């Protein structure tokens, strides 16, 4: 493609992103989800906390810190302080899924949605985790640690920690969440301990340990350190899949009892799907999608694996294996548009049972194997961190050849991502910001520091 066309698409992307900014009392505070004039707005005219993270990181790379600071302040003010989650009221520490500017009695007010209007009324667990990660990025970009040290920010971080670290009916260091509680916000069989939440949880704990002031009791920091060690061990030990691990699972004995057993979760070898034994490369590997009693979800979920690289939850060797998998299964995971949200798709009777016959999540569409351009920036960031610059450039080349022409859609359908999503909104803000963020990372890899976490050599590895 001629360079002028690429330049024009970048100019268009920046202009569209600027036009998506939401103002509250004459101050920029976020971006709308999409500006598609051809479809009903629904809640796409609101600012989603999850969606804004990509825009916020991009603004930080440009020195446009005011909008990120305002976003952090205003969403903190919206944070729930309820004593319990009951009767449709969010629990303390929960951040809203989205918010909008409204007029009440002639004055601008912010209206938050904690999931009351969402599909199946599921509250967003990931919003509060992403919020802490963005706060850390803001501090790294501006060196303004004083914002995080403000009493209300310290309280906000602690409320999130209390919300995430509360005692539950669970024996694992992971977070237990329902279907629909994160980016995959419809029923997709990810109830329990989905990878994406565990990686975001890990990143939020690390970020909180950097942002919290030591207090007299030191309870939160001590709790964070204990949980981090246990969580890291748990995910690495039980979620990781490569050919050696697959052979171990294949030879598992079921119905084992006691503490010192190999098959702690009673995973049956018969649960290994037929597609996996042929699909998994000899030099590749990845973190499984979910883990629970007699359940190992062997699907590949992109966001969790890419973020695991960025936050150093995956080791250097594991990170290289994840990128090997992406490279060797490029047609499956990238195809005509980076990147597939999960692989493979649920089909037939399995689709009916797991999704409840969800027509939006039919095979190779939306969250059931659809391709999401917003994941481009995460793929590029992971490629840069692992020294796989050629993969970063290749992915950008694939994306920029279509995105502007297709009017920046939310997602793509089809096994190879060749079709614009059946119900995809166009001029989707995080599609635009994801593309621009990918370009910025390649142009200036130093921006990777905003989202990259390095391994703490003082962290003690927990052994079960």
């Amino acid at each position: 493609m001629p360079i002028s066309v690429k330049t024009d698409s970048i100019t268009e992307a920046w202009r569209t992103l600027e036009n998506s900014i939401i103002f509250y009392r004459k101050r920029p505070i976020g971006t709308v989800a999409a500006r598609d004039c051809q479809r009903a707005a629904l809640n796409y005219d609101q600012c989603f906390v999850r969606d804004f993270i990509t825009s916020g990181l991009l603004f930080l790379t440009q020195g446009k810190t005011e909008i990120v600071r305002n976003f952090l302040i205003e969403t903190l003010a919206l944070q729930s302080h309820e004593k319990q989650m009951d009767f449709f009221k969010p629990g303390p520490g929960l951040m809203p899924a989205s918010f909008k500017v409204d007029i009440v009695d002639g004055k601008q007010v912010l209206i938050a949605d904690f999931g009351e209007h969402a599909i199946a009324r599921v509250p967003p667990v990931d919003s509060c985790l992403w919020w802490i990660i963005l706060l850390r990025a803001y501090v790294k970009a501006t060196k303004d640690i004083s914002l995080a040290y403000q009493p209300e920010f310290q309280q906000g971080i602690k409320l999130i920690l209390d919300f995430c670290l509360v005692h539950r009916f669970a024996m694992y260091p992971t977070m237990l969440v329902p279907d629909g509680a994160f980016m995959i916000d419809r029923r997709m069989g990810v109830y329990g301990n989905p990878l994406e939440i565990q990686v975001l949880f890990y990143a939020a704990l690390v970020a909180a340990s950097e942002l919290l002031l030591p207090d007299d009791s030191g309870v939160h920091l001590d709790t964070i350190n204990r949980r981090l060690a246990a969580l890291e061990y748990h995910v690495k030990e039980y979620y990781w899949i490569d050919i050696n691990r697959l052979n171990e699972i294949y030879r598992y004995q079921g119905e084992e009892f006691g503490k010192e057993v190999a098959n702690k979760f009673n995973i049956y070898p018969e649960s290994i799907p037929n597609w996996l034994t042929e699909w998994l490369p000899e030099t590749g590997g990845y973190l499984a999608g979910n883990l629970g009693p007699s359940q190992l979800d062997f699907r590949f979920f992109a966001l969790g694996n890419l973020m695991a690289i960025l936050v150093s939850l995956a080791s250097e060797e594991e990170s290289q294996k994840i990128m090997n998998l992406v490279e060797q299964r490029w047609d499956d995971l990238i195809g005509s548009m980076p990147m597939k949200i999960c692989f493979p798709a649920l089909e037939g009777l399995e689709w009916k049972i797991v999704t409840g016959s969800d027509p939006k999540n039919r095979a190779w569409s939306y969250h059931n194997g659809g391709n999401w351009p917003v994941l481009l920036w995460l793929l590029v960031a992971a490629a840069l961190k692992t020294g796989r610059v050629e993969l970063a450039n290749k992915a950008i080349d694939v994306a920029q050849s279509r995105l502007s022409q297709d009017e920046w859609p939310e997602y793509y359908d089809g096994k190879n991502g060749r079709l614009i999503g059946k119900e995809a909104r166009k001029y989707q803000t995080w599609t635009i910001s994801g593309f621009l963020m990918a370009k910025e990372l390649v142009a200036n890899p130093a921006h990777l520091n905003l989202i990259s976490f390095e391994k703490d050599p003082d962290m003690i590895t927990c052994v079960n």
Side-chain angles (χ1 to χ4, degrees):
M1 180 175 288
I3 294 178
S4 60
V5 176
K6 293 182 182 179
T7 304
D8 288 345
S9 67
I10 293 172
T11 302
E12 177 201 18
W14 276 112
R15 182 173 61 249
T16 307
L17 179 61
E18 292 288 342
N19 290 337
S20 74
I21 294 176
I22 296 173
F23 289 85
Y24 175 60
R25 297 176 183 174
K26 299 181 179 180
R27 296 160 53 241
I29 62 164
T31 51
V32 296
R35 293 177 60 86
D36 188 344
C37 299
Q38 304 301 315
R39 287 181 175 267
L42 298 179
N43 56 356
Y44 282 82
D45 60 351
Q46 299 185 30
C47 178
F48 280 78
V49 172
R50 178 191 310 122
D51 293 30
F52 181 75
I53 302 305
T54 309
S55 297
L57 291 171
L58 179 62
F59 286 134
L60 290 176
T61 69
Q62 304 301 299
K64 298 179 179 180
T65 60
E66 179 192 4
I67 185 172
V68 180
R69 181 185 179 92
N70 292 340
F71 171 86
L72 291 167
I73 292 171
E74 296 299 343
T75 47
L76 179 63
L78 294 173
Q79 184 184 38
S80 173
H81 290 72
E82 297 286 342
K83 295 298 183 183
Q84 61 182 2
M85 186 181 292
D86 197 10
F87 298 107
F88 308 110
K89 293 182 179 180
L94 195 68
M95 287 288 183
S98 63
F99 61 86
K100 65 178 179 180
V101 179
D102 207 346
I103 305 295
V104 177
D105 297 330
K107 295 182 179 179
Q108 279 191 326
V109 295
L110 291 181
I111 306 296
D113 177 14
F114 287 90
E116 302 98 324
H117 304 286
I119 298 292
R121 304 299 188 262
V122 179
V125 176
D126 63 336
S127 292
C128 58
L129 305 177
W130 278 121
W131 185 87
I132 294 182
I133 294 169
L134 183 62
L135 174 60
R136 175 187 181 270
Y138 172 84
V139 170
K140 277 190 161 291
T142 64
K143 313 303 179 188
D144 181 17
I145 191 65
S146 63
L147 180 68
Y149 284 171
Q150 290 180 10
E152 56 269 32
F153 272 78
Q154 292 288 299
Q155 181 193 28
I157 295 171
K158 290 177 180 179
L159 280 175
I160 293 172
L161 292 175
D162 290 340
F163 175 71
C164 295
L165 297 170
V166 68
H167 293 292
R168 293 184 173 92
F169 287 98
M171 297 290 288
Y172 317 136
T174 46
M175 273 187 70
L176 181 68
V177 298
D179 261 338
F182 52 106
M183 180 181 173
I184 296 178
D185 58 6
R186 300 168 80 95
R187 183 172 159 190
M188 269 286 289
V190 289
Y191 174 88
N193 303 277
L195 175 66
E196 180 176 326
I197 288 296
Q198 312 320 316
V199 177
L200 292 177
F201 182 33
Y202 178 88
L205 289 176
V206 174
S209 70
E210 297 176 8
L211 299 170
L212 276 180
L213 282 165
D215 54 27
D216 293 336
S217 63
V219 171
H220 284 93
L221 288 174
D222 287 344
T223 302
I224 287 172
N225 289 332
R226 290 197 304 271
R227 190 63 165 264
L228 272 174
L231 179 61
E232 179 187 16
Y233 177 86
H234 185 89
V235 172
K236 284 187 172 182
E237 182 72 11
Y238 302 119
Y239 281 70
W240 180 253
I241 295 175
D242 59 14
I243 194 63
N244 292 330
R245 175 70 170 152
L246 199 60
N247 271 293
E248 290 178 15
I249 297 172
Y250 182 68
R251 294 173 60 83
Y252 267 163
Q253 298 297 314
E255 315 303 329
E256 293 184 309
F257 179 81
K259 192 171 184 180
E260 301 301 325
V261 298
N263 190 3
K264 287 184 169 63
F265 293 89
N266 201 38
I267 306 298
Y268 294 104
E270 291 78 9
S271 67
I272 298 175
N274 293 330
W275 61 266
L276 182 58
T277 55
E278 299 298 326
W279 189 75
L280 185 62
E282 289 288 332
T283 59
Y286 65 101
L287 294 165
N290 205 345
L291 176 67
S294 294
Q295 177 203 15
L296 183 59
D297 187 341
F298 290 94
R299 286 176 293 176
F300 173 89
F301 285 84
L303 198 154
N305 275 278
L306 297 176
M307 276 296 290
I309 293 174
L310 294 177
V311 304
S312 295
L313 180 53
S315 68
E316 290 186 16
E317 180 183 0
E318 290 165 345
S319 298
Q320 289 295 339
K321 285 190 172 184
I322 293 171
M323 297 311 296
N324 287 345
L325 177 70
V326 172
E327 181 178 30
Q328 295 179 53
R329 296 295 177 260
W330 186 269
D331 290 343
D332 291 329
L333 300 178
I334 307 300
S336 298
M337 179 57 61
M339 180 179 186
K340 198 163 288 297
I341 193 170
C342 71
F343 181 90
L346 300 170
E347 300 184 89
L349 180 60
E350 185 181 25
W351 164 77
K352 290 183 179 181
I353 294 172
V354 174
T355 74
S357 298
D358 183 354
K360 192 169 185 178
N361 265 344
R362 69 192 189 285
W364 308 111
S365 178
Y366 199 53
H367 290 149
N368 188 16
N371 291 48
W372 288 71
V374 65
L375 298 173
L376 172 66
W377 81 267
L378 285 162
L379 173 60
V380 167
L384 293 176
K385 184 165 182 175
T386 53
R388 311 291 282 269
V389 181
E390 73 286 354
L391 294 183
N393 289 325
K394 184 178 179 182
I396 290 175
D397 286 343
V398 171
Q400 70 184 1
S401 67
R402 293 191 62 190
L403 282 177
S404 177
Q405 174 184 323
D406 293 341
E407 299 177 310
W408 311 99
E410 179 183 15
Y411 65 94
Y412 285 78
D413 283 351
K415 198 166 185 179
N416 294 312
R418 297 183 67 186
L419 302 172
I420 297 174
K422 190 176 182 65
E423 297 186 37
R425 294 304 191 280
K426 293 188 175 182
Y427 296 101
Q428 185 83 11
T429 303
W430 71 351
T431 293
I432 295 168
S433 58
F435 170 71
L436 292 173
M437 185 65 185
K439 298 284 285 187
E440 288 297 324
L441 285 169
V442 169
N444 187 355
H447 291 321
L448 193 60
N449 291 330
L450 296 177
I451 195 67
S452 178
F453 293 61
E454 299 309 317
K455 188 67 181 172
D456 183 355
D458 296 326
M459 184 180 292
I460 301 173
T461 301
C462 169
V463 178
N464 276 9

